[in-house]
Amino acid sequence: MSIRIYNTLTREKQVFEPLDPARVTMYVCGPTVYNYAHIGNARPAVIFDLLHRLLELHYTQVVYARNITDVDDKINDAAARLGVPIAEISTKYADAYHEDMAAIGVRRPTIEPRATAHIEPMIRMIERLLEAGSAYAAEGHVLFDVEAFDSYGCLSGRDLREMIAGSRVEIAPFKRNPGDFVLWKPSVDPQPGWDSPWGWGRPGWHLECSVMAEAHLGETIDIHGGGQDLIFPHHENELAQSVCSHDGKPFARYWMHNGFVTVDKRKMSKSLGNTLVVHELLQQHPGEVLRYLLLSAHYRQPLDWSEQELERARRTLDRLYGVLRTSSDRFGPFATDPRPGEAFMEALRDDLNTPVAIAEFNRVARDLAKAGTAEEARRAAGELLADAGLIGLLQSAPDAWFGANASAPESADIEALVTRRNQARASRDFAAADALRDELTAMGIVLEDRDGVTRWRRTDA
């Protein structure tokens, strides 16, 4: 079956047809490593990790590049405040990014290029743009001339005047057009810089991604992804400079963009003080809970983040792990099927429709819970585990999951009540044992007594 994706460039859902089925290419804009990643940064990481997994089931080779921006004014400012080299800042937060993304089940991409390792090819691309008449040098800067590219605005769907009026662009006297953007700019101490034909300086942000995509994936790539906020100006500018530097060849054949993450229906911002940092969230919640919530809405739609939705995700995962644990107690260990279920796969092939896929995922879990024979349980569990392996959930053993959750104060309280109930039963104080069971039931806890062992799980959210 074909994969269908919504292409921002054409504004319609299309069947995905790679340029070369033997080598599918995907580039996704990665982090600028000057601080810890927030939950909005985590959404594209999770979404395109899932797309990478899906593509790998359909094609023999998928080359996925997700860059690290390790030279940027925000990094420069952080380094200057602390009086350290930019590499110290970028290394610290790149390592933190890797650790945090791994905790929410995001695998490393095939290639993870860093901007500072591509200065020479950046200079070469600028030289090609100058030769083509698509760029010009002015006062130590080199700028892309947006009026030299007739299709400028094709990705965002707005004309040049509207884009300039609706966006923050740097107005400078040396620009021919206010929308012209920087390819190279001068550096002064303590800013980092490199030698170039235009003097000591550093590249513009938009140029970095075009060059890294070209260097590792080729002049035309299959899929380019990122957050909705990158459509303009970043991806619009990438498209323009890449097409002009490659003699008019298309830059990316499919463009995919995920929606924003809001917090309690409000946009995340420093001014509102509601920016949720993944590093901090992981101190309070298992990574799979964050991943489940990030996948719960369709990637093109906004995702509202709240404590209530986090609790719902945690309860759902508790239930799923509880079903696996109870079923394996009854029927023995299960093997994972070689491929996920077809209904689950079809939902993901339909533009990564994760809400439908997760609904199917939960339906299979209900089938497992209702299984009356070992064969029924084996079939349902195999499909559930295959689905889970693709979507990046249920990656712990059930006992390990509940053991990890027991570190939370609420779970510790539950464990204490379960222990007191078991002690009451051992003492044949059945009235006290029943009262404690009723207390746990009121808390939404289901007890399962089997072979002398009591286990608990939360009821469905």
Side-chain angles (χ1 to χ4, degrees), residues 17 31 65 81 105 133 137 154 176 202 204 207 221 231 319 351 369 373 396 403 421 427-428 437 440:
E17 297 177 344
R81 285 196 306 271
C154 61
R176 295 177 183 173
R202 61 196 191 278
L207 180 78
I221 62 178
I231 296 175
R319 176 177 56 80
D351 194 32
T373 67
S396 297
R421 173 181 174 270
S427 302
R428 305 187 65 81
R437 176 187 278 276
L440 287 160

Side-chain angles (χ1 to χ4, degrees), residues 247-460:
D247 298 321
K249 295 177 184 176
F251 174 41
R253 303 175 68 247
Y254 301 85
W255 291 82
M256 297 179 69
H257 296 93
N258 63 270
F260 293 111
V261 177
T262 57
V263 178
D264 294 321
K265 310 294 185 183
R266 304 175 76 188
K267 183 179 178 180
M268 274 196 301
S269 70
K270 291 182 180 179
S271 61
L272 292 175
N274 64 348
T275 301
L276 298 176
V277 176
V278 177
H279 198 73
E280 296 171 356
L281 287 169
L282 287 168
Q283 296 172 18
Q284 306 167 46
H285 308 281
E288 279 193 17
V289 172
L290 307 189
R291 186 179 181 93
Y292 191 100
L293 183 48
L294 285 166
L295 291 171
S296 63
H298 192 280
Y299 79 92
R300 286 191 285 116
Q301 299 303 314
L303 170 68
D304 191 53
W305 195 272
S306 67
E307 284 298 323
Q308 292 83 357
E309 290 303 316
L310 269 174
E311 176 65 14
R312 187 185 302 276
R314 183 183 60 76
R315 285 179 179 270
T316 300
L317 285 167
D318 280 350
R319 176 177 56 80
L320 292 167
Y321 274 108
V323 167
L324 274 175
R325 185 171 67 176
T326 300
S327 299
S328 62
D329 284 348
R330 293 177 63 198
F331 301 110
F334 300 114
T336 305
D337 285 351
R339 288 186 68 85
E342 187 53 37
F344 178 83
M345 286 290 293
E346 183 54 29
L348 293 181
R349 285 192 290 251
D350 184 17
D351 194 32
L352 288 185
N353 195 333
T354 54
V356 172
I358 287 175
E360 177 64 17
F361 184 62
N362 280 280
R363 183 197 65 76
V364 176
R366 289 193 295 273
D367 286 348
L368 176 58
K370 294 183 294 185
T373 67
E375 177 59 25
E376 290 175 347
R378 182 201 62 76
R379 186 168 54 250
E383 182 175 337
L384 180 66
L385 292 171
D387 294 353
L390 176 56
I391 206 167
L393 298 171
L394 303 184
Q395 298 304 288
S396 297
D399 285 343
W401 171 263
F402 287 108
N405 279 353
S407 63
E410 180 186 353
S411 297
D413 293 342
I414 293 167
E415 291 285 355
L417 289 171
V418 171
T419 299
R420 285 173 54 197
R421 173 181 174 270
N422 289 342
Q423 290 170 343
R425 293 177 72 202
S427 302
R428 305 187 65 81
D429 187 352
F430 297 115
D434 289 345
L436 286 162
R437 176 187 278 276
D438 291 344
E439 184 177 348
L440 287 160
T441 299
M443 295 168 62
I445 303 301
V446 174
L447 299 181
E448 297 168 349
D449 297 314
R450 188 179 300 276
D451 300 327
V453 177
T454 300
R455 286 173 167 160
W456 62 270
R457 61 179 174 82
R458 293 178 174 87
T459 56
D460 201 356

